[in-house]
Amino acid sequence: MGDPAILDVDLLGFERGDGAARAAVVDGVRRSLATGFVYTSSDLPTDLLDSAYGLLQQFFALEAASKARFSVPGSHGQSGYTGLLVETAAGSAEADWKEMLNWSAPLPPHHPLRRRFPLLYPEPLLPESVVPGITVVLERFHAAIADLQRRFLRPIALAMGCAETFFEEMVQDAPTLSRAIRYPPMAEAPPGGHLWAAPHADINLITALPRATAAGLQVLVDGAWLAAAPPEGRVILNTGLMLERLSNGTIPAGWHRVVAPEGPSAGRHSVVQFCHARPSTILAPVPACCSAANPQRWPGLSAADALEEVLYRINLIRA
């Protein structure tokens, strides 16, 4: 069962409701994000999710050599294909038993952010040549989830005591990343105690997780691992280390893992999106989240430095 401390809030009610409805959603967001997690209503088209999953499953079903053609050298897991047993959760001795396809909305070649932060804005590469039609669908998917995340940051900003528009400029042209993940059956994993995904917290502001094809996501609440069980049609959102820093710890990063169920399993597919701050953003606790009882915990740190450090620690930046 899921944990009742993770609340189901109504983003659409926040956007369409009166002052009382909006205040109720902000209160629910504030209380739920004390766990690092929240469920929300959304207007994501179900046919778009169905199409994305269908095409992604076609890609992951290809032989290894075909998938490896879509690796992007030097992209550090920020574009194209990343193979099995590469990403390793910070502090874990074993790599995750998963493979990934990564994509984002590219900026123009001479955009100042691409020139200053080439590592965070790699050239996109999608497997259009082997899965015709996948590019258009995944670009639509990325845009729809990015829009949902930008909108959800508005009640989060209010919950932090900031203006509703606090995050608008921060996420404009940011290196927000979509990632499709295939978790193969554990019976195929090499020995060594690998998990689908070892315990970790995301580095970004927030992460959106629409429905997956199978169970396995577990969240850490009050020291216990609990299955994430959102109501039908809801999107899971979890907080990352950037938001934890901006909120001075009042909104902690949500720790989670992905664990295969006991017994035979056909594996699992999921698609997530990491909503980032612009790399030049200085992540310093906002005054509204600092007080005598909760003094400022961290100095300012650029979002680029924070992200690159984590990419190094999880084995995505390699020689």
Side-chain angles (χ1 to χ4, degrees):
M1 294 181 61
D3 190 276
I6 303 176
L7 303 181
D8 179 19
V9 303
D10 186 4
L11 174 63
L12 304 182
F14 171 82
E15 294 176 332
R16 303 167 184 170
D18 58 16
R22 287 167 54 85
V25 171
V26 171
D27 179 65
V29 167
R30 182 186 298 110
R31 290 188 289 121
S32 191
L33 288 186
T35 70
F37 301 90
V38 65
Y39 306 140
T40 184
S41 62
S42 81
D43 48 12
L44 293 173
T46 56
D47 62 336
L48 178 58
L49 294 177
D50 292 341
S51 297
Y53 271 116
L55 293 166
L56 287 163
Q57 287 171 359
Q58 288 183 43
F59 171 73
F60 284 121
L62 297 172
E63 60 183 19
S66 295
K67 290 182 284 191
R69 289 170 46 204
F70 299 95
S71 298
V72 180
S75 70
H76 309 298
Q78 306 304 288
S79 180
Y81 175 71
T82 302
L84 295 165
L85 300 176
V86 173
E87 183 168 298
T88 306
S92 175
E94 305 294 341
D96 291 341
W97 183 233
K98 66 186 182 188
E99 56 183 336
M100 308 180 292
L101 182 67
N102 308 278
W103 71 100
S104 56
L107 295 179
H110 301 296
H111 192 287
L113 287 171
R114 284 194 69 175
R115 294 172 63 185
R116 289 181 60 196
F117 305 101
L119 182 148
L120 305 182
Y121 294 92
E123 198 64 33
L125 180 62
L126 288 171
E128 181 70 24
S129 60
V130 293
V131 186
I134 195 171
T135 299
V136 169
V137 171
L138 294 190
E139 287 177 349
R140 285 182 56 212
F141 178 92
H142 179 89
I145 301 291
D147 177 66
L148 178 72
Q149 296 217 81
R150 284 192 296 267
R151 289 154 57 196
F152 201 86
L153 283 169
R154 295 169 187 163
I156 290 179
L158 293 173
M160 291 169 57
C162 298
E164 184 175 339
T165 57
F166 175 74
F167 290 102
E168 296 289 324
E169 183 177 321
M170 189 183 300
V171 301
Q172 183 69 36
D173 295 328
T176 288
L177 179 73
S178 290
R179 171 172 291 169
I181 309 169
R182 174 182 173 255
Y183 303 94
M186 290 305 300
E188 302 173 5
H194 302 280
L195 295 177
W196 273 347
H200 65 283
D202 298 334
I203 179 55
N204 43 290
L205 293 168
I206 56 175
T207 303
L209 301 90
R211 69 170 192 261
T213 63
L217 177 65
Q218 297 180 347
V219 301
L220 187 63
V221 178
D222 293 332
W225 288 106
L226 303 164
E232 183 71 24
R234 295 306 198 254
V235 174
I236 304 170
L237 287 119
N238 69 262
T239 50
L241 294 164
M242 290 185 183
L243 187 59
E244 181 177 66
R245 198 176 190 102
L246 285 168
S247 70
N248 201 35
T250 60
I251 299 178
W255 280 78
H256 51 287
R257 65 184 185 182
V258 186
V259 178
E262 295 184 4
S265 167
R268 180 179 189 266
H269 291 80
S270 70
V271 185
V272 303
Q273 188 183 86
F274 307 104
C275 180
H276 280 281
R278 290 166 65 103
S280 55
T281 302
I282 300 302
L283 303 169
V286 299
C289 294
C290 301
S291 65
N294 186 34
Q296 183 172 340
R297 302 185 190 186
W298 298 288
L301 175 71
S302 78
D305 286 346
L307 178 53
E308 291 179 23
E309 171 68 17
V310 167
L311 292 177
Y312 170 76
R313 292 177 62 200
I314 65 177
N315 202 35
L316 288 179
I317 292 182
R318 295 175 294 170

